[in-house]
Amino acid sequence: MKISYTWLKELVPGLKVRPQAIANSLTLVGLEVEAIHDLAAPYQGIVVGEVLEKKPHPSSDKLSVCQVSDGKQVNTVVCGAPNVEAGKKYPFATLGTRFENGMVIEKRKIRDVESSGMLCSASELNLSSESSGLLTLADNAKTGMEFSKFYGLDDVVLEIGLTPNRGDCFSHVGVAREVAAIYGLKSVFPKEVSIKGTFSLKKELKVQNAVSKLCTRYSSRMLKNVSVSPSPQAVQNRLAALGIRPINNVVDATNYVMLLTGHPVHAFDARFVSGGTIKISTAQKLSASQFKTLDGVDRKLEGEDLLIADSEKAIALAGIMGGENSGIRSDTTTVILEVAQFHPTAVRKTSRRLGLVTDSSQRFERFVSPETIPQALNLLTSFIIAWAGGEASSDVIDLYPVRFKKLNLTLREDFLKGVTGVAYPARDIEKILKALEFAPKKAGKAFKVTVPSYRSDVTREIDLAEEIVRFKGMDAIPAVFPPALMRTVYESNAEKRERTLRDFFVSEGFFENIHYSFTDPVLTQKMGVDQSSLLNLMNPLSAELSVMRDSLWPQLLSTASKNWSAAEGVLRVFECRSIYQKPRIEKKSFAALYAGAYVNGGLNLPKVPVDFYFGKKMASDAFKKLGYEVSFQKGAVPGVYHPANSLVIKAGEITVGYVGTLHPQIAEKFEIGETNLLEIDLEALEGASKASFKFQKLNPYPQVKRDLALVVDRSISYDSIEKAIKSKLTPWLVNVEIFDIYQGDKIESSKKSLSLALTYESFDKTLTDDEVNRAHFELVDKLRDSHGYLLR
């Protein structure tokens, strides 16, 4: 919202505070001023110049040599404009003037004649995109006067970032009310003008409201014999400064009233309102499916869109934009005026769906007061008559089916102290409430107030407390430590599992990703997901966020795709969040994605590939951290996994996850290389039994390691080999790990070689090599005799 400082001063008599100070004060009371624009700054050094004499240039037929007075001295100026005349006045850039494009006015010779200054056109002053000559000023302009002051550009514009709840400040009157309260002044609403009508409106127009809940008040008046032409220059300048393009005196009057009062108003050309009838209804009731707005765009309508229509057709999108078929034209003579209150939600829904956000819709969305509609209509009528002439109807049509009920609230002094910690003096509370027009009445240790109709944001006692704090200042509230009781923080088993997983994978060099709970159906299609199995959002933020995710993989794979090139295929990411499945089931899930290679053990060691076995070890270690003993088995895996290179993870008989390689077809769709996946079903862990663990003291004696290479049939899984080794109850054996698998021409084609690292330790003594070797080879003999495993 842009606010004119000059206009503010008109509405707050006695205001002498500079714009920067006002901006600071408004920001402190919650109306953040985001920018300050000095409109006169680009025109420094430009004055009203008077051409005293004009002569032909001695060396050019197209140039003139003029004697120009700047109010202090006479300057010789060479000018090429065809419309320059002696006795006329034009904008004159004196020596040293710097234009926005960087040009600086200096003395220079033009065809051997020295020129001191420049007469300016409208385009050179950025007042028009086109210009055929100099900008001619009125004869009554005072020579030497600052051009910005004469042209109405000596103003400062404050740009305020309004919050959605402060619709009352979407106007100069509303901001003036705040400024007056800040500085202890009084704001004035523009004086109502007595309208003397010459004809009866009821004989000319009928208004029908078929949706009283969506249009709670509708007022209309007619004007005849208006003459459409440009608005007064001061009005055009003010509108342009506030970001609105001047069009003509009638349309400019509607915009002027909107900026002043906050009421979006509209004017129809009566010639195009068929049957002398206006109807307020919905697209469904009017059987309207399409409508062309003033900007020339055909808008597709839906049933609940609120429309203004005549007896034959729609003529406006209520509260948003008028129609091309009823707009004010250069030959318009009879005008129908509209000032109304439309339901904020109805306007917002249509505006957002059509992507058509206007000055009008922004105000209706924030609520406009129905109580001040008559004043706005009178102001609009008086401005049009003053700028365009014409005669007004002696009466108005004012449909007010749903009367506004003012809200009465109580603000207790002890309540205010309780929420702020400050005992504000009663006189200060009363002063603030009175300045904001809440009409406070003292009632013991409380104040009874009536909330003004324009303050839709004040509905509770706490809102009144906020008003006091806004104007007394946050710095008046003492800084104290909040009282806090020490208490045990309860962490559920589910929360503990999630925290444990996050901590473990972060410690292993993984990065946590956090995505939206809703996702792009295009990503799920790449995964081959049946779209009918997904939960669709009724009101999505965008098409890319229109379904609830039933898996963490689509977004993780999308993230991998976006980062694959930059990361050179080295990725380790995970997510631990909810997924959503039909009918309405929310489940906690964990998914990790890893690719590339990593250094294991030291900087000088070779990189180890992040492959299937890496993921299996991560899964095994993660479940140990969680307290579960799991097994890895062949079985059916989800479609995202490579079916021949993936395993099912089980805790007892319960499936708790999957580990394996990404399916090559899906990798190709996401444009990534070989990638590995790990998935843990956190919900399934609730029903799984935890492994039994026992505590033991730290071993003061060293461990001894032995490597073992076994040749076994290819069909035998490592899981069964590990179980066979542990079943032999070998003395001092505490751990078994696989570190290599070989399948090649040095062993039979039906065989594979597994390299294992076995760890031995004793809690009673330091083991000797003979003791370890004896136990180790006894184990080898047992494996050979009972299982046929051969030592390589």
Side-chain angles (χ1 to χ4, degrees):
M1 175 63 188
K2 293 183 177 180
I3 296 294
S4 161
Y5 174 65
T6 302
W7 212 348
L8 267 186
K9 290 198 293 183
E10 294 172 10
L11 296 171
V12 187
L15 180 65
K16 297 180 181 179
V17 185
R18 302 306 301 162
Q20 183 62 61
I22 291 176
N24 294 338
S25 298
L26 286 173
T27 300
L28 289 174
V29 298
L31 303 180
E32 183 182 1
V33 177
E34 297 175 336
I36 302 175
H37 307 283
D38 185 353
L39 302 185
Y43 305 102
Q44 295 295 318
I46 301 174
V47 300
V48 174
E50 182 178 1
V51 177
L52 304 176
E53 182 183 276
K54 172 189 174 183
K55 290 183 179 181
H57 193 287
S59 304
S60 174
D61 295 335
K62 295 182 179 180
L63 298 177
S64 302
V65 179
C66 303
Q67 300 301 313
V68 181
S69 171
D70 61 10
K72 297 179 181 178
Q73 62 185 26
V74 177
N75 307 274
T76 299
V77 177
V78 176
C79 181
N83 66 329
V84 62
E85 296 181 27
K88 294 291 184 180
K89 296 176 181 178
Y90 311 95
F92 177 62
T94 58
L95 294 176
T97 299
R98 180 182 294 274
F99 286 82
E100 287 186 312
N101 61 6
M103 181 179 71
V104 179
I105 301 300
E106 299 173 337
K107 279 188 180 182
R108 54 178 297 196
K109 284 190 176 182
I110 302 176
R111 296 286 185 93
D112 298 327
V113 176
E114 190 171 68
S115 180
S116 301
M118 183 179 80
L119 296 169
C120 304
S121 66
S123 62
E124 289 166 332
L125 298 175
N126 289 327
L127 298 174
S128 173
S129 57
E130 298 179 1
S131 181
S132 58
L134 300 178
L135 175 61
T136 304
L137 305 180
D139 293 338
N140 62 355
K142 183 180 178 181
T143 303
M145 183 180 186
E146 291 181 9
F147 170 74
S148 60
K149 188 173 184 178
F150 168 76
Y151 212 68
L153 297 171
D154 57 333
D155 198 359
V156 176
V157 172
L158 308 178
E159 197 164 340
I160 301 176
L162 284 181
T163 51
N165 65 322
R166 293 307 303 271
D168 61 302
C169 290
F170 226 125
S171 67
H172 280 72
V173 166
V175 175
R177 192 182 296 115
E178 295 278 310
V179 170
I182 292 171
Y183 295 109
L185 302 171
K186 287 188 177 181
S187 62
V188 295
F189 195 89
K191 291 182 180 179
E192 288 192 46
V193 179
S194 178
I195 306 297
K196 294 181 179 180
T198 59
F199 63 95
S200 175
L201 177 60
K202 293 181 180 178
K203 296 180 180 179
E204 305 278 349
L205 184 68
K206 294 179 180 178
V207 179
Q208 301 169 2
N209 186 357
V211 284
S212 58
K213 290 184 178 180
L214 300 180
C215 176
T216 52
R217 190 169 190 176
Y218 191 96
S219 294
S220 185
R221 171 176 264 147
M222 183 178 284
L223 280 77
K224 295 183 177 180
N225 301 321
V226 300
S227 178
V228 176
S229 62
S231 301
Q233 191 62 53
V235 173
Q236 293 188 47
N237 293 344
R238 179 164 283 182
L239 290 176
L242 297 173
I244 293 182
R245 180 174 61 89
I247 298 175
N248 57 55
N249 44 14
V250 175
V251 176
D252 291 354
T254 64
N255 287 325
Y256 199 85
V257 169
M258 178 185 69
L259 293 175
L260 175 60
T261 68
H263 278 282
V265 298
H266 193 67
F268 300 101
D269 188 323
R271 292 177 298 174
F272 308 114
V273 179
S274 300
T277 301
I278 285 181
K279 299 177 182 178
I280 307 107
S281 191
T282 61
Q284 183 179 15
K285 291 183 178 181
L286 295 170
S287 299
S289 60
Q290 199 161 317
F291 178 67
K292 183 177 284 189
T293 46
L294 272 170
D295 55 4
V297 177
D298 284 315
R299 310 283 177 179
K300 187 176 180 181
L301 302 177
E302 291 188 358
E304 295 304 311
D305 291 338
L306 195 58
L307 296 175
I308 308 297
D310 58 21
S311 60
E312 299 176 355
K313 63 188 180 301
I315 56 176
L317 264 175
I320 300 174
M321 185 179 284
E324 189 180 60
N325 57 10
S326 61
I328 302 300
R329 306 182 184 186
S330 59
D331 59 346
T332 298
T333 58
T334 304
V335 175
I336 297 173
L337 305 180
E338 167 193 285
V339 187
Q341 185 201 38
F342 301 113
H343 197 284
T345 302
V347 174
R348 181 169 55 251
K349 282 184 177 180
T350 301
S351 172
R352 294 296 183 271
R353 183 179 58 78
L354 295 175
L356 184 61
V357 180
T358 62
D359 291 315
S360 175
S361 69
Q362 290 183 80
R363 287 166 172 81
F364 278 118
E365 287 175 18
R366 287 169 168 81
F367 183 86
V368 296
S369 169
E371 295 290 282
T372 51
I373 282 178
Q375 296 96 311
L377 182 58
N378 278 345
L379 277 174
L380 177 60
T381 304
S382 63
F383 286 145
I384 293 178
I385 291 176
W387 303 342
E391 307 161 4
S393 61
S394 56
D395 54 348
V396 300
I397 294 176
D398 185 20
L399 303 184
Y400 199 1
V402 182
R403 291 277 169 176
F404 181 82
K405 294 181 180 179
K406 289 188 176 180
L407 184 64
N408 295 313
L409 296 175
T410 300
L411 176 60
R412 296 163 293 164
E413 292 178 39
D414 59 348
F415 172 80
L416 181 59
K417 181 180 178 181
V419 295
T420 64
V422 179
Y424 294 105
R427 63 179 180 277
D428 291 353
I429 299 173
E430 184 176 17
K431 181 180 179 182
I432 292 170
L433 293 174
K434 189 178 291 185
L436 293 173
E437 302 179 12
F438 280 87
K441 292 181 180 179
K442 195 79 167 68
K445 290 286 187 177
F447 288 91
K448 302 284 187 181
V449 304
T450 300
V451 180
S453 62
Y454 50 80
R455 288 303 300 272
S456 61
D457 60 310
V458 178
T459 60
R460 303 169 298 165
E461 185 177 18
I462 191 65
D463 297 326
L464 292 173
E466 183 182 343
E467 295 301 297
I468 305 302
V469 173
R470 281 203 308 132
F471 284 90
K472 291 299 291 184
M474 292 292 290
D475 54 351
I477 299 176
V480 296
F481 286 108
L485 298 175
M486 298 297 289
R487 60 175 181 265
T488 303
V489 177
Y490 172 74
E491 187 178 46
S492 67
N493 290 333
E495 291 170 334
K496 186 175 182 180
R497 279 195 293 269
E498 292 175 37
R499 176 177 56 80
T500 301
L501 279 176
R502 285 190 173 98
D503 291 346
F504 171 72
F505 278 89
V506 168
S507 71
E508 292 292 334
F510 282 72
F511 291 91
E512 182 174 7
N513 284 195
I514 297 178
H515 298 100
Y516 286 119
S517 294
F518 19 86
T519 188
D520 188 347
V522 173
L523 297 179
T524 62
Q525 288 170 6
K526 289 182 178 181
M527 300 275 297
V529 174
D530 180 5
Q531 299 300 294
S532 64
S533 68
L534 299 174
L535 288 166
N536 294 291
L537 293 174
M538 294 179 65
N539 188 26
L541 294 173
S542 67
E544 293 77 18
L545 299 170
S546 59
V547 297
M548 301 298 290
R549 62 180 179 185
D550 69 342
S551 166
L552 299 176
W553 292 126
Q555 290 156 311
L556 277 175
L557 289 170
S558 177
T559 297
S561 178
K562 293 173 183 175
N563 292 277
W564 192 265
S565 297
E568 298 179 347
V570 179
L571 288 172
R572 273 193 263 181
V573 295
F574 75 90
E575 183 166 11
C576 185
R577 304 278 307 280
S578 292
I579 59 175
Y580 304 85
Q581 299 171 345
K582 282 189 174 182
R584 291 193 177 184
I585 301 172
E586 179 181 355
K587 295 176 61 178
K588 286 286 185 178
S589 185
F590 176 90
L593 179 151
Y594 40 96
Y598 72 107
V599 175
N600 182 26
L603 293 175
N604 296 323
L605 295 177
K607 289 186 177 180
V608 177
V610 177
D611 53 12
F612 168 83
Y613 300 104
F614 171 86
K616 189 180 175 193
K617 183 179 185 305
M618 285 292 103
S620 180
D621 290 347
F623 279 106
K624 284 180 181 178
K625 288 283 186 181
L626 293 172
Y628 294 90
E629 188 171 335
V630 296
S631 61
F632 299 86
Q633 303 174 16
K634 280 288 185 181
V637 295
V640 68
Y641 294 90
H642 191 305
N645 199 27
S646 301
L647 295 175
V648 178
I649 307 174
K650 290 200 170 188
E653 296 300 318
I654 298 176
T655 299
V656 294
Y658 305 94
V659 63
T661 305
L662 175 66
H663 198 294
Q665 292 179 353
I666 295 177
E668 184 179 354
K669 290 178 182 178
F670 281 91
E671 300 180 354
I672 58 179
E674 184 175 333
T675 305
N676 301 281
L677 312 176
L678 167 62
E679 186 174 357
I680 298 176
D681 186 343
L682 296 176
E683 300 285 337
L685 286 176
E686 288 283 356
S689 299
K690 284 197 169 186
S692 58
F693 294 94
K694 63 179 181 179
F695 292 95
Q696 62 184 29
K697 64 181 180 180
L698 292 174
N699 193 349
Y701 301 105
Q703 293 180 338
V704 180
K705 290 187 179 290
R706 289 289 185 268
D707 290 345
L708 177 62
L710 294 176
V711 177
V712 301
D713 290 339
R714 286 195 177 190
S715 60
I716 298 176
S717 68
Y718 168 73
D719 191 50
S720 63
I721 296 173
E722 185 180 21
K723 287 180 179 177
I725 293 173
K726 291 181 178 179
S727 70
K728 303 311 176 188
L729 303 176
T730 303
W732 309 306
L733 179 63
V734 293
N735 191 43
V736 181
E737 287 185 3
I738 184 172
F739 64 87
D740 190 29
I741 296 178
Y742 173 74
Q743 298 175 107
D745 56 2
K746 294 184 179 180
I747 60 176
E748 295 180 35
S749 58
S750 62
K751 303 287 185 179
K752 61 183 176 182
S753 173
L754 280 71
S755 297
L756 310 175
L758 278 60
T759 304
Y760 297 88
E761 69 175 351
S762 170
F763 280 81
D764 302 318
K765 61 180 180 177
T766 300
L767 295 173
T768 65
D769 283 342
D770 288 341
E771 289 172 326
V772 173
N773 289 340
R774 186 167 55 253
H776 185 69
F777 286 107
E778 284 178 0
L779 171 63
V780 172
D781 291 340
K782 291 177 182 178
L783 292 174
R784 181 192 60 215
D785 296 338
S786 61
H787 296 280
Y789 301 160
L790 301 178
L791 185 64
R792 184 181 174 199

